[in-house]
Structures are given as C-alpha cells and as structure tokens.
Amino acid sequence: MTKKLAIIVTHPIQYYAPVFKLIAKKLELKVFYTAGDMSLNNYDHGFKKKIEWDIPLLNDYNYEFLENTSKSKGSHHFKGIVNPDAIQQIKEYQPDAILIYGWAYKSHLKIIRYFKNRIPIYFRGDSTILDHQSNFRSILRPIFLKWVYSHVDKAFYVGNANKSYFKKYGLKEHQLIFAPHAIDNERFIADRKQEAELIRKEFGIKSEDIIILFAGKLEQKKNPDLLLEAFIEMTYESEIQRQKSEVKKVDILSKGICSPLIEIQKARFHLLFVGNGELEKSLKYKTASLNLKNIHFLDFQNQTQMPAIYQSCDLFCLPSKGPGETWGLAVNEAMAAGKAVIVSNKVGCGVDLVNSENGKIFQSGNLKDLTEKLIALTNDKEALNKMGENSLKHIQDWSFNHQVKSIVNYVNR
C-alpha cells in the first residue's frame, strides 16, 4: 500500500515545489502551506519587494493553504504563522508520517509537539553552527534546541555543516539521513549562451573580460560591501602588475633581446550585482562617487532569467558573514551553470561544494584574504573556465532526484 506523507512548510518555494512534484509520483502526498494563501504574493523582506516567481510552484501535487490567523502574518518571525485548525486538518488526512520544514514558527512547533509519539515526525532544515556566538542567549539556546529536537524521530540533513548542527543539539547518527540540498540542475545547465552574450554586450563587456557575479539579496548578512571593497583592491593591484609588466616588456625590447616574448594580456575585470535590498543605495552611491565604470547593477531577476545571468559570468562570489547563511543555494546554481565559485567560511555549503578544483573559501570579513583569492582566481581565464567545468561535474550528485530518493526510501521503510 502506498504510504501517505504530510509535508508542513510555510509557503510555496521555488527550491521545494519541484521536490514535492517528484515525491508525489512515489508517495501519496499532501503539502500544508501554513502561511496562508496570501503567501503566493509574498513580500520579501530581504529583496524589499513583492516577489511572484515565474515558474509553476503548485503543479502536479496535492496541497492546501491553511488559514493563518496571525495579526502580523509572515514567515520572517515566530508569531507570523498561527493555524488554529492545522492539527485537525492533518489528522483528517491521516498521514503515515509528517515531514516538517523548520520549527521556528508558533504553528510548526505546536504540530511537532502534538504529533510526537502519534505519527513519525521527520524534520528538514539547513541550520549550522558556523555562526556560534558566546553570550547569554548562546547558553540557553542549546537547552531549548535539544528540547525541540527531542520531538523529532528523524532529520534529513542537507550537508555536513547541517549534520554537525543536528548532532550538537541531540540527534544521533542513526536519526540522520542525507538528502542533499539541491536546485533544478538541468534548468541551469541548459544552454543560454546567446542570452548570456547579450547581457555582456548590454554592459559593454568583451568576451575576454572577466565578470565576477554576486546574485542575491543586497543585505548585511550577505556582505556585498566586502566584495565591492575587494573588487576595487583587486582591480588596483592588477593594474599595478599590468603596468610593471609593460615596463619590463619595453626594457627587454630596448636591449634588443630577440628571444620569443609571450605577452600576457591582462583581462579587464567587471563586477555585476544582481538583486535588490537594504544596501542597494549605498553600494550604488559608492560606485558612482568613485566613477567606477566596471561595476554594474541589475534589479532582481526572476527564475527564468537566472540561468542566463550565471552563464554570462566567469566567477560567482558569495561573501556572506551571517548570521544565518545556512547553505547558499545560489552556489548550486552557479556550479550547475558551469562556473567557478568563491565563498566565505560562513557559507554552509562551502565544506561540501567548494574545493581547490572549482574555487576557493576565504575567511569571512577578511578583506585581504578575499582580495588575494580573487586575484589568484582571475589571473588565468583558462584556469577559471576549467574550474567551472569541475563545478559542473561536482554538482551532478547534488540533485533533486537524490534528495527525493532519500526521503521516499525512508518513508517507505
């Protein structure tokens, strides 16, 4: 007999809906959206605008929007989701198991507590301990989190940093099942070169030039300011090296040396910010005040445009300082588009996805470290392209199919 799975999640999310569609082919599935039907036109507090995704999020699986009676609705705070009828509606569905995405909402925590020892409770989250801070709250937090996870039977962890988090807060090895964080790899792999070339042409960027891309919310957590500073430093250092190279070349020629001279033409560098957010004005102001013509900005781009955006660049950077950069799925997207990546050591996916073969990890907040590693990565465009190829190979195992297989196999046990 086909098992029945209830999934509890706040609202339709572009990274989750394709997973639900695949699970529905293997299990009897119903997704309960706890933020209510208003969440379809959700105001994103990070992007500072309403976001309506341009890919289907509700096709080919069974779902229900629960009534959310919170006075301040939203998935950005604990009291933003209150569902008085949730438990009754889940009971009426009679699931064999419940999979809950995130506990940090009043309604989700209530559901976890009620169904403990009644129905198997599976949990999905991507938190890490990379942002550990020593203060009074950090003393109380482990006690609370161990209590929360004592209500969970199994957890599907997204990567090694997430696994360490679950183990720190009480879950045992036998309770943890690997279900990798993933994006729609095929959509980002699909050839969008013509559109990518148009994007470069729009900004007057030549094919031999190197584009460093930041795509996401322009907010404190992601630290785009640091990338801007590092890019300015990198460009300055590269120009000094170029001028030294030219002086050396002239010196050699003036002495009549006839040995073959290989001239390395340094590529011009560009930085592209794609997204909106609280830091947008300050980033643009600094760029304009310094008259930096090789730094460009694009507003938020929807899902159908993003593959071409990634394919237009040469190197993707996620310089987050946290707290709360639990994974960084933009890194998955960049890798699926065949690009080299550089991330800070506060980015949750770093330990799993980034290595010397496809990029670098730098010390969060360290301008010198980021600058030096950007210079090293962009010194040779051919080597950068090779790293992009390695990214593409590595990300193949981090797929929706792998994630779904782990979930379905365990529910069916």
Side-chain angles (χ1 to χ4, degrees):
M1 186 175 69
T2 304
K3 293 287 186 72
K4 295 176 72 174
L5 176 66
I7 288 181
I8 315 300
V9 66
T10 55
H11 60 283
I13 296 172
Q14 73 274 24
Y15 299 119
Y16 296 169
V19 172
F20 300 159
K21 179 179 176 179
L22 292 171
I23 291 175
K25 294 179 179 180
K26 308 289 185 180
L27 302 170
E28 186 175 338
L29 174 69
K30 187 169 187 179
V31 178
F32 293 88
Y33 286 116
T34 57
D37 56 7
M38 292 298 291
S39 63
L40 279 175
N41 295 308
N42 193 36
Y43 179 83
D44 192 294
H45 290 263
F47 283 120
K48 298 297 181 185
K49 60 168 60 181
K50 280 193 173 183
I51 299 297
E52 187 172 345
W53 300 109
D54 63 355
I55 58 174
L57 301 182
L58 297 172
N59 291 1
D60 302 316
Y61 65 92
N62 192 16
Y63 63 89
E64 180 176 347
F65 287 101
L66 298 177
E67 182 184 9
N68 182 10
T69 61
S70 170
K71 293 181 180 179
S72 177
K73 295 180 175 64
S75 58
H76 59 292
H77 66 116
F78 181 76
K79 294 182 180 179
I81 296 178
V82 179
N83 311 118
D85 301 323
I87 289 172
Q88 182 58 37
Q89 287 169 275
I90 294 168
K91 286 169 68 176
E92 288 175 2
Y93 177 60
Q94 297 182 325
D96 295 299
I98 297 174
L99 172 56
I100 297 186
Y101 283 68
W103 60 263
Y105 310 102
K106 185 175 181 179
S107 185
H108 288 211
L109 198 54
K110 184 178 178 181
I111 291 167
I112 291 172
R113 292 181 65 191
Y114 179 84
F115 285 103
K116 172 65 176 172
N117 296 326
R118 288 184 169 94
I119 298 173
I121 300 291
Y122 304 145
F123 187 82
R124 179 75 165 171
D126 58 7
S127 296
T128 71
I129 53 177
L130 297 177
D131 298 315
H132 178 73
Q133 297 177 352
S134 297
N135 53 37
F136 181 70
R137 289 186 65 186
S138 70
I139 296 172
L140 297 178
R141 187 172 175 81
I143 299 170
F144 174 72
L145 288 176
K146 285 180 180 180
W147 173 79
V148 170
Y149 292 121
S150 70
H151 294 79
V152 171
D153 295 296
K154 306 286 180 182
F156 294 101
Y157 68 94
V158 305
N160 281 302
N162 181 220
K163 183 179 184 181
S164 297
Y165 164 88
F166 283 132
K167 294 181 83 169
K168 179 179 175 66
Y169 296 121
L171 291 176
K172 307 300 182 186
E173 184 73 33
H174 71 273
Q175 293 178 281
L176 299 172
I177 305 105
F178 179 50
H181 237 335
I183 53 98
D184 186 353
N185 286 344
E186 297 307 314
R187 187 158 60 84
F188 287 86
I189 290 171
D191 188 350
R192 303 284 291 273
K193 287 179 183 176
Q194 287 188 339
E195 293 160 86
E197 288 171 3
L198 288 175
I199 293 168
R200 295 177 75 100
K201 187 175 180 180
E202 178 184 346
F203 291 111
I205 301 173
K206 299 175 182 177
S207 59
E208 65 268 22
D209 295 351
I210 290 176
I211 301 179
I212 299 169
L213 172 68
F214 171 96
K217 298 171 183 176
L218 299 175
E219 60 184 357
Q220 294 286 346
K221 180 178 82 173
K222 294 187 181 294
N223 209 8
D225 316 66
L226 185 72
L227 176 57
L228 178 61
E229 292 289 337
F231 179 79
I232 294 170
E233 291 284 330
M234 180 196 86
T235 307
Y236 175 73
E237 291 294 331
S238 297
E239 180 61 20
I240 289 175
Q241 293 302 317
R242 185 191 69 79
Q243 291 179 13
K244 286 182 179 178
S245 178
E246 287 297 313
V247 170
K248 186 175 181 181
K249 172 185 170 184
V250 170
D251 186 53
I252 290 172
L253 292 174
S254 67
K255 292 178 181 177
I257 299 174
C258 298
S259 59
L261 176 66
I262 301 173
E263 181 182 349
I264 300 174
Q265 177 62 47
K266 289 284 185 182
R268 291 181 63 235
F269 304 108
H270 294 262
L271 175 59
L272 175 59
F273 287 106
V274 178
N276 300 98
E278 62 187 2
L279 298 179
E280 181 178 353
K281 287 184 179 179
S282 62
L283 291 166
K284 287 182 175 178
Y285 176 79
K286 182 163 189 176
T287 299
S289 64
L290 294 174
N291 196 29
L292 301 171
K293 302 298 186 184
N294 58 343
I295 299 176
H296 318 281
F297 292 86
L298 272 178
D299 285 336
F300 164 84
Q301 300 292 299
N302 221 313
Q303 284 293 292
T304 56
Q305 288 90 42
M306 284 310 298
I309 295 289
Y310 285 111
Q311 290 182 32
S312 73
C313 82
D314 301 281
L315 173 65
F316 178 76
C317 180
L318 186 56
S320 303
K321 62 182 178 182
E325 191 62 90
T326 52
W327 184 261
L329 283 165
V331 177
N332 293 61
E333 293 173 342
M335 290 175 64
K339 302 303 171 181
V341 290
I342 178 170
V343 303
S344 84
N345 62 343
K346 294 288 187 180
V347 176
C349 72
V351 67
D352 295 291
L353 298 186
V354 186
N355 56 56
S356 61
E357 299 297 315
N358 74 326
K360 291 183 182 293
I361 299 175
F362 73 94
Q363 188 72 28
S364 175
N366 190 322
L367 176 61
K368 184 174 183 290
D369 192 29
L370 175 55
T371 303
E372 289 176 351
K373 285 174 178 172
L374 284 175
I375 291 172
L377 285 169
T378 57
N379 188 52
D380 184 340
K381 184 156 181 169
E382 278 192 27
L384 202 57
N385 291 338
K386 181 62 179 177
M387 285 184 168
E389 294 173 9
N390 293 335
S391 281
L392 180 55
K393 291 175 185 176
H394 184 48
I395 206 64
Q396 300 299 317
D397 292 331
W398 297 76
S399 67
F400 282 154
N401 285 332
H402 189 168
Q403 184 184 137
V404 169
K405 184 177 180 180
S406 294
I407 294 170
V408 170
N409 284 352
Y410 201 85
V411 173
N412 274 333
R413 285 182 60 175

